[in-house]
């Protein structure tokens, strides 16, 4: 495991861009490593800053595609089923996630409601779509789809902005805050959302960026 | 991990080898290459505008954080009476209701994390010009923590969104979002952009421990 990535010595002779494909530079600290096969289930870390460079998993592509499909179904369930039901003094109110988002949709608050819709529904869905677009053809052994590189880069950029898990914690806090005012019941959409978060975490765990990039490059049809 | 002997050979960076690396996919190229051959990303050995963008977003984030603390986050109307809560006021109210755990979460997400981020990013940005022998690992860890934890400040914005959609029971009780919800959300987004703009390779460039032998 340790010798999978060996630090290079100072005497690097001028190499062509093609030969340089066997090297990897740590994205965090720029240290060069010579790339050797890393076994599935193992992690290769940078010698200098200890960031994980590679963590390949057995049949990762298939697993990621299955999990991304599951996550998409869960997201659709989460936005269509009732999310929370509120009761106070004989009045009952059912809310879907969409209702929660549209709360701000008047006047000045409209940009905020759009931003929240983006962070908890739109961006996670776009990220799932991008991942499926890139990895579904790869999982069945095809060449990458047109624009797959751009789509995967897009998925990478989106990652910090998809905030479904933070929203779930927000729901928990809101439940406590509202406890004195009304009775709150959790609907099926809440559980779909929670499951979505768990599936996303599992999915990200299987995602070894470097391995996917290298596979994309290797299977790319010649330009 | 076998570190034996590892420290004798100083690590060679892509830049020191006259190469340029892609931060997105790790591919290494000849110095003059413009686009990454693997993923298409525009290449730069070091992100030259990194520190400019870090400071710009950080200042913007700080400016948005001030009104976020002064104006109401939430306005609750109970039987005709309106009560408004600021960011800190919401925490205090939770404490008064003996919800200490939740109060701690909100206090951490809305006060500790944002202020910690301002301090940490400014410190890292100021230190990036100075050679450093001992604390490079620590600084890198700091940047990673800031990047990882920053998004969690959004909790309070989501809470405001949820409460104002849930609690709309006519004249009995209703909750409206306050203007601070917008400025706080902006503050979180700006500081996230600030942390993302930070090219961590600049931190490692200040590491003099390795270059002494070169
Ligand atoms: Zn590194
Ligand atoms: Zn690249």
């Amino acid at each position: 495991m340790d010798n999978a990535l060996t630090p290079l010595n100072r005497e690097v002779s001028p190499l062509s861009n093609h030969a340089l494909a066997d090297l990897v530079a740590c994205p965090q600290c720029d240290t060069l490593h010579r790339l050797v096969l890393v076994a599935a289930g193992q992690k290769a870390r940078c010698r200098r800053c200890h960031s994980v460079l590679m963590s390949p998993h057995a049949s990762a592509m298939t697993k990621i595609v299955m999990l991304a499909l599951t996550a998409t179904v869960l997201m659709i369930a989460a936005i269509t089923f009732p999310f929370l039901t509120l009761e106070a003094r004989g009045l009952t109110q059912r809310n879907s996630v969409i209702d929660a988002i549209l709360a701000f949709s008047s006047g000045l608050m409209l940009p905020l409601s759009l931003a929240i819709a983006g962070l908890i529904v739109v961006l996670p869905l776009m990220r799932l779509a991008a991942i499926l677009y890139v990895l579904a053809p790869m999982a069945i052994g095809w060449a990458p789809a047109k624009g797959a590189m751009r789509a995967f880069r897009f998925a990478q950029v989106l990652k910090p902005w998809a905030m479904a898990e933070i929203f779930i914690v927000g729901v928990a806090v809101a439940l406590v805050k509202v406890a004195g005012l009304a009775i709150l019941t959790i609907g099926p959409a809440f559980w779909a959302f929670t499951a979505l978060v768990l599936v996303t975490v599992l999915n990200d765990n299987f995602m070894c960026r470097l391995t996917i990039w290298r596979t994309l490059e290797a299977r790319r049809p010649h330009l | 991990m076998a570190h034996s002997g590892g420290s004798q050979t100083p690590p060679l960076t892509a830049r020191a080898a006259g190469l340029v690396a892609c931060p997105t996919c790790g591919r290494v190229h000849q110095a003059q290459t413009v686009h990454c051959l693997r993923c298409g990303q525009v290449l730069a050995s070091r992100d030259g505008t990194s520190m400019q963008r870090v400071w710009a977003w950080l200042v913007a984030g700080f400016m948005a954080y001030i009104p976020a603390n002064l104006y109401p986050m939430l306005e609750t109307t109970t039987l005709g009476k309106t009560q408004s809560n600021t960011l800190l006021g919401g925490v205090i109210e939770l404490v008064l209701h003996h919800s200490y755990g939740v109060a701690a979460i909100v206090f951490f997400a809305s006060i500790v994390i944002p202020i910690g981020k301002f301090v940490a990013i400014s410190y890292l940005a100021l230190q990036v010009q100075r050679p450093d022998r001992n604390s490079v690992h620590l600084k890198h860890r700091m940047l990673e923590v800031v990047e990882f934890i920053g998004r969690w400040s959004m909790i309070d914005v989501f809470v405001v969104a949820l409460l104002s959609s849930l609690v709309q029971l006519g004249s009995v009780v209703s909750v409206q979002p306050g203007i601070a919800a917008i400025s706080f959300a902006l503050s979180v987004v700006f500081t996230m952009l600030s942390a993302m703009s930070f090219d961590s390779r600049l931190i490692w460039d200040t590491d003099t421990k390795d270059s002494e032998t070169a």
Side-chain angles (χ1 to χ4, degrees):
Chain A
M1 163 185 169
D2 301 38
N3 296 325
L5 300 157
T6 50
L8 285 173
N9 295 320
R10 295 252 153 190
E11 74 298 343
V12 171
S13 50
L15 292 162
S16 68
N17 266 336
H18 181 71
L20 289 170
D22 293 333
L23 301 181
V24 57
C26 172
Q28 301 295 324
C29 73
D30 210 30
T31 302
L32 283 174
H33 301 81
R34 187 168 280 127
L35 206 55
V36 188
L37 196 71
V38 181
Q42 294 200 319
K43 279 195 174 100
R45 287 175 186 275
C46 170
R47 276 298 178 113
R48 192 179 185 203
C49 74
H50 313 308
S51 310
V52 175
L53 291 175
M54 286 180 91
S55 60
H57 289 267
S59 49
M61 305 253 183
T62 316
K63 284 176 190 163
I64 293 169
V65 169
M66 300 313 257
L67 287 169
L69 283 172
T70 312
T72 310
V73 172
L74 286 170
M75 179 60 99
I76 292 164
I79 47 183
T80 47
F81 291 143
F83 191 63
L84 296 164
T85 304
L86 184 85
E87 276 174 77
R89 307 198 187 187
L91 296 167
T92 305
Q93 202 196 333
R94 276 187 187 79
N95 291 271
S96 67
V97 176
I98 299 292
D99 294 326
I101 293 163
L102 293 182
F104 289 137
S105 59
S106 55
L108 261 181
M109 292 298 172
L110 184 65
L112 190 57
S113 78
L114 293 179
I116 290 177
L119 295 175
I120 63 181
V121 176
V122 182
L123 296 186
L125 276 177
M126 282 168 87
R127 181 162 181 254
L128 286 170
I131 288 171
L132 284 172
Y133 182 76
V134 175
L135 293 183
M138 307 274 281
I140 48 177
W142 291 1
K146 197 162 170 278
M149 306 270 168
R150 192 173 303 161
F152 194 56
R153 237 165 57 207
F154 183 59
Q156 218 163 303
V157 171
L158 280 183
K159 195 181 172 193
W161 301 103
M163 298 192 178
E165 75 274 33
I166 299 168
F167 182 65
I168 287 293
V169 178
V171 173
V173 173
L175 288 177
V176 172
K177 278 205 165 188
V178 101
L181 297 172
I183 304 160
L184 256 186
T185 331
I186 287 168
F190 177 82
W191 300 113
F193 225 94
T194 311
L196 171 78
V197 168
L198 296 176
V199 169
T200 308
V201 170
L202 202 59
N203 202 0
D204 290 342
N205 184 45
F206 283 128
M207 186 108 57
C208 171
R209 275 160 37 175
L210 192 59
T211 309
I212 293 172
W213 277 122
R214 284 171 60 83
T215 317
L216 275 171
E217 186 181 40
R219 293 207 199 148
R220 179 170 47 184
H222 288 289
L223 300 170
Chain B
M1 301 197 76
H3 273 295
S4 54
S7 54
Q8 269 96 319
T9 43
L12 177 64
T13 63
R15 182 163 76 167
L19 303 168
V20 57
C22 172
T24 302
C25 71
R27 177 78 151 87
V28 182
H29 309 79
Q30 296 281 293
Q32 65 277 13
T33 315
V34 180
H35 288 276
C36 175
L37 293 173
R38 185 181 285 154
C39 75
Q41 170 88 45
V42 177
L43 296 172
S45 178
R46 294 297 177 268
D47 185 343
T49 61
S50 167
M51 295 325 293
Q52 248 167 292
R53 280 182 294 130
V54 167
W55 281 116
W57 287 123
L58 191 68
V59 169
F62 187 71
M63 303 230 284
Y65 190 61
I66 297 168
N69 278 283
L70 300 178
Y71 288 96
M73 201 64 184
L74 211 60
E75 283 165 359
T76 314
T77 310
T78 319
L79 299 167
K81 274 186 288 179
T82 302
Q83 185 206 350
S84 58
N85 260 326
T86 56
L87 211 53
L88 195 60
V91 178
I92 292 166
E93 202 190 0
L94 281 166
V95 172
L96 294 177
H97 283 93
H98 305 286
S99 308
Y100 301 114
V102 178
I105 293 174
V106 177
F107 179 69
F108 211 76
S110 313
I111 312 281
V112 178
I113 294 178
I115 293 177
K117 266 170 85 172
F118 294 130
V119 174
I121 297 177
S122 323
Y123 170 77
L124 291 172
L126 288 172
Q127 288 283 313
V128 89
Q129 279 102 6
R130 292 188 201 157
D132 186 337
R133 206 172 180 285
N134 300 311
S135 56
V136 187
H137 276 279
L138 191 73
K139 286 186 198 162
H140 183 218
R141 181 35 51 115
M142 245 168 108
L143 184 62
E144 278 181 331
V145 169
V146 164
E147 270 190 81
F148 173 78
I149 219 165
R151 357 177 3 251
W152 286 91
S153 291
M154 272 300 187
I155 289 177
D156 224 29
V157 176
F158 294 147
V159 171
V160 171
L162 282 161
L163 289 181
S164 41
S165 95
L166 290 172
V167 192
Q168 292 298 344
L169 297 165
S171 57
V172 182
V173 56
S174 73
V175 170
Q176 300 296 328
I179 195 79
I182 289 186
S183 52
F184 185 66
L186 284 178
S187 174
V188 177
V189 168
F190 291 161
T191 45
M192 278 176 73
L193 288 167
S194 175
M196 284 175 197
S197 308
F198 210 120
D199 186 345
S200 62
R201 295 175 296 187
L202 294 171
I203 293 179
W204 287 95
D205 286 342
T206 65
D207 187 1
T208 52
K209 202 159 85 191
D210 301 321
S211 56
E212 275 167 9
T213 48

